[in-house]
Amino acid sequence: MTTPLPRNRNYRILWSGMFLSELAGEIAYIAFPLLVLAHGGSASAVAGVAAVLAGARTLISLPAGVLADRVDRKRVMVVAQGVRAVAMLSVAVTVLTGDCPLWLILLVAAVEGAAAGIFVPAEHAALPQVVPESQLSQALARNAARPFAALLIGPALAGFTFGLHEVLPFTLNTSVLVVSFVALAALHLPRRAAAPPAGDKAEAAAAPRFGGFGPLLRMPVVRATMIWIVGVNLAFHTLVVLVLIVSGEDNVAPGQMGLMMTCFGAGGLVGALVAERLHAAALSPGTLVIGSTWVFAAVAGAMAYAPRGVPLGILLGVAAMAMPVAITTVITCQLAAVPDGLRGRLSGLVGLGSELAATAGPIAAGVLSAVTQDGAVRILGAAALLVVVAAGGTLSPTLRRLALPQPSAEHHPAHS
């Protein structure tokens, strides 16, 4: 009998470890700029720290995926969290004992970004090892709540604790990572085969040359869903940046802009809960993905004409609700189609595509802002990107025929 997720010890540990990792990342993302500014740093120094954080994660994505498939995944996660904790502790100690130089902040930012990037593919690839296929979509829906919860809690904690003393957010960050380290040390992952299945000898031979990504890119499901992921992420990041730009130009109060981002996080949390229910209703995966994209495009179009401030933030939250429904469906289908020996590479590939789209989004927003001064037209430009993605998904036979894993009578390792 399959163990319910709330009673699955290893799933709880994996979920908590990743949540704490994401929470630490959100704290660091705010605490580093605050520290730089507090010590007289320039805007370019703040931008440099943010660029190092994001750049390290992007550059490590593909190698981290290969590492997650070739090395024990639990060991990768534990070591990554330990390295991050030591790096953050060095900042806390330096701040407490004296001035923290910019070179150290940049170095720790690089370590934090790289180690966090190494952690993610190992965690994603480990999920099917502790959750049976029949519960995979449910687990992913619950996982989708983590980044939005971290987004709601992390920045607020960073700002509040920094206001009390500038060492506190880094002490808190170190503590969070240590707790994650200890929890993951108690994780039990079933043994797995390190090599690709026997039927994939040609792919295994090609793996050293191509890093193992060739077999992935030859899978229609992976190609179609990767194009969808990049397109949706590009449009979404373009939209969010445009909302902030337009709100700033219309003199929306900072407090209201903060509430808008709160709506965004709350919408994502609600979307994760909705995703779990929709998956339980056994709706067609293709319908969920394509339908959610069209809903997202329609809401983005409505945002162009919404009053600035909280009403616009509410629509942003509604748009965020559609994301977990589609994303969890896509990832479930990807994991079902990809053998265990390539799942780390899959996560690395998805991470790289998402990071590049997240980088291109603000650039696209800047281009739209340069082309027109009309805020509504700019937001409609982001909505048009979503229409293109939704139309492409509707026309794609692969996306229309996406399939979730079906419950089976196969033996699965114990999950208690």
Side-chain angles (χ1 to χ4, degrees):
M1 183 177 178
T2 302
T3 303
L5 280 182
R7 292 169 53 194
N8 184 330
R9 171 184 175 276
N10 289 313
Y11 171 69
R12 293 200 308 268
I13 291 175
L14 200 60
W15 192 99
S16 301
M18 185 63 183
F19 170 70
L20 292 173
S21 177
E22 291 171 333
L23 179 61
E26 292 293 343
I27 293 172
Y29 191 76
I30 300 300
F32 277 132
L34 290 176
L35 182 63
V36 171
L37 292 172
H39 289 262
S42 63
S44 60
V46 172
V49 172
V52 167
L53 272 170
R57 286 180 65 107
T58 302
L59 291 174
I60 205 68
S61 294
L62 295 185
V66 175
L67 184 68
D69 288 335
R70 293 184 175 176
V71 181
D72 180 76
R73 289 163 181 164
K74 172 184 171 178
R75 187 177 304 168
V76 171
M77 290 186 284
V78 170
V79 171
Q81 297 300 72
V83 169
R84 294 172 71 190
V86 171
M88 284 297 169
L89 180 61
S90 70
V91 175
V93 171
T94 306
V95 170
L96 194 61
T97 57
D99 189 29
C100 188
L102 180 60
W103 68 263
L104 178 62
I105 296 175
L106 290 170
L107 176 62
V108 173
V111 172
E112 160 66 18
I118 289 172
F119 180 91
V120 172
E123 190 275 342
H124 287 179
L127 180 63
Q129 291 181 253
V130 301
V131 173
E133 284 192 346
S134 59
Q135 292 181 330
L136 193 54
S137 62
Q138 180 187 9
L140 286 167
R142 295 189 177 194
N143 289 0
R146 293 182 312 204
F148 292 103
L151 180 63
L152 284 174
I153 299 170
L157 278 176
F160 175 73
T161 55
F162 194 91
L164 297 176
H165 194 290
E166 61 187 36
V167 75
L168 290 180
F170 300 99
T171 305
L172 176 62
N173 199 315
T174 302
S175 302
V176 167
L177 290 168
V178 168
V179 172
S180 178
F181 175 91
V182 173
L184 289 166
L187 176 68
H188 172 69
L189 289 183
R191 290 184 178 275
R192 63 186 180 89
D200 295 333
K201 292 181 180 178
E203 293 179 359
R209 182 177 178 185
F210 299 103
F213 294 97
L216 279 177
L217 295 174
R218 288 195 290 271
M219 296 179 185
V221 169
V222 174
R223 289 201 306 270
T225 52
M226 275 298 302
I227 292 171
W228 180 88
I229 286 171
V230 170
V232 167
N233 273 281
L234 171 62
F236 191 73
H237 285 91
T238 301
L239 179 65
V240 171
V241 172
L242 283 174
V243 165
L244 293 174
I245 291 174
V246 170
S247 298
E249 290 177 349
D250 289 350
N251 298 316
V252 174
Q256 287 197 55
M257 293 179 71
L259 283 175
M260 289 166 60
M261 292 300 102
T262 300
C263 290
F264 169 67
L269 285 173
V270 173
L273 297 175
V274 171
E276 187 172 344
R277 292 180 179 274
L278 290 176
H279 289 162
L283 295 177
S284 161
T287 300
L288 287 176
V289 173
I290 296 169
S292 296
T293 313
W294 279 113
V295 168
F296 191 4
V299 173
M303 290 171 67
Y305 304 101
R308 307 299 182 236
V310 174
L312 185 57
I314 291 173
L315 284 178
L316 185 62
V318 174
M321 286 176 59
M323 289 291 284
V325 176
I327 290 290
T328 56
T329 305
V330 164
I331 294 176
T332 304
C333 295
Q334 286 180 333
L335 289 174
V338 173
D340 179 75
L342 292 174
R343 282 172 175 160
R345 291 172 175 85
L346 171 67
S347 178
L349 192 63
V350 171
L352 177 64
S354 299
E355 292 289 347
L356 291 176
T359 302
I363 296 174
V367 171
L368 286 169
S369 297
V371 168
T372 176
Q373 297 299 310
D374 190 322
V377 174
R378 296 176 190 169
I379 295 177
L380 284 175
L385 288 175
L386 284 164
V387 169
V388 171
V389 176
T394 304
L395 296 173
S396 169
T398 302
L399 288 183
R400 292 200 306 268
R401 297 170 188 163
L402 284 177
L404 292 172
Q406 298 300 316
S408 66
E410 301 180 0
H411 171 72
H412 195 277
H415 301 290
S416 58

